[in-house]
Amino acid sequence: MIQRLGDAVPEIAADAWVHAQATVIGDVTIGPGASIWPGAVLRGDYGPIRVGARTSIQDNAVIHADAEGTVIGDDCIVGHLAFVENAVVGDSCLVGVGAKLLPGTRMRAGSVAAAGAVLLGIEVPSGYRAQGLPAVIVRTDRPGRAYVDEGARRYAEMARRHRREARTV
């Protein structure tokens, strides 16, 4: 469902793909080649949400913002059941399954939030991973930026396939 809220109308690139069971409301911009999967909710009612090119917002992820906004860069993967609110996610980042990025969190390009991690107002430098509850930052080369970029490319391809082939039965 794509829904305006007052004067705020979602802006979705012509070649982005939003599943019919996803919810996109209000001040949301979705970049070229991005994909929004079943059950995902992007609710731009209190503030803006920006999703970059070729970024994949996976099943049942929730993206929200207040006046400060939430920004997710290009070539990112936001995993299933992740939650992102009032955070900035740089290009080529991975937000793992069930990770929670809470207000003030900043992920620099090529960083990772591990599955299940809870980040509150911390900065994750490029080439580092935040893991645990509460999250601690560790230097790592896995998964690397090339892995995330390849995953983003594969999800963009899968979204194109869904656009071409998926039909309700």
Side-chain angles (χ1 to χ4, degrees):
M1 171 180 60
I2 300 169
Q3 189 175 49
R4 76 180 302 140
L5 183 62
D7 294 334
V9 180
E11 295 179 26
I12 301 169
D15 65 341
W17 178 74
V18 177
H19 189 275
Q21 296 301 316
T23 301
V24 179
I25 301 171
D27 189 359
V28 178
T29 301
I30 299 172
S35 55
I36 313 299
W37 294 87
V41 176
L42 288 76
R43 187 163 54 90
D45 50 4
Y46 287 111
I49 297 170
R50 305 294 175 252
V51 175
R54 298 168 305 281
T55 287
S56 176
I57 308 296
Q58 294 290 300
D59 309 59
N60 298 311
V62 175
I63 315 297
H64 193 240
D66 70 10
E68 295 174 28
T70 294
V71 176
I72 302 171
D74 297 340
D75 301 303
C76 294
I77 300 170
V78 176
H80 310 279
L81 301 168
F83 176 77
V84 181
E85 182 167 23
N86 298 335
V88 175
V89 178
D91 296 341
S92 300
C93 288
L94 172 63
V95 177
V97 171
K100 293 174 180 54
L101 278 58
L102 301 173
T105 297
R106 182 176 217 75
M107 294 181 66
R108 297 293 180 184
S111 63
V112 173
V118 177
L119 292 69
L120 174 58
I122 64 173
E123 182 171 323
V124 185
S126 296
Y128 284 77
R129 178 177 62 220
Q131 61 187 37
L133 173 66
V136 295
I137 297 175
V138 298
R139 179 100 176 128
T140 184
D141 59 354
R142 290 182 293 145
R145 189 168 181 162
Y147 173 87
V148 175
D149 287 343
E150 174 61 15
R153 185 193 65 74
R154 288 179 52 224
Y155 279 118
E157 284 179 14
M158 182 59 69
R160 285 190 295 273
R161 178 177 180 214
H162 277 258
R163 180 186 290 254
R164 283 189 320 267
E165 299 178 22
R167 300 294 178 263
T168 301
V169 294

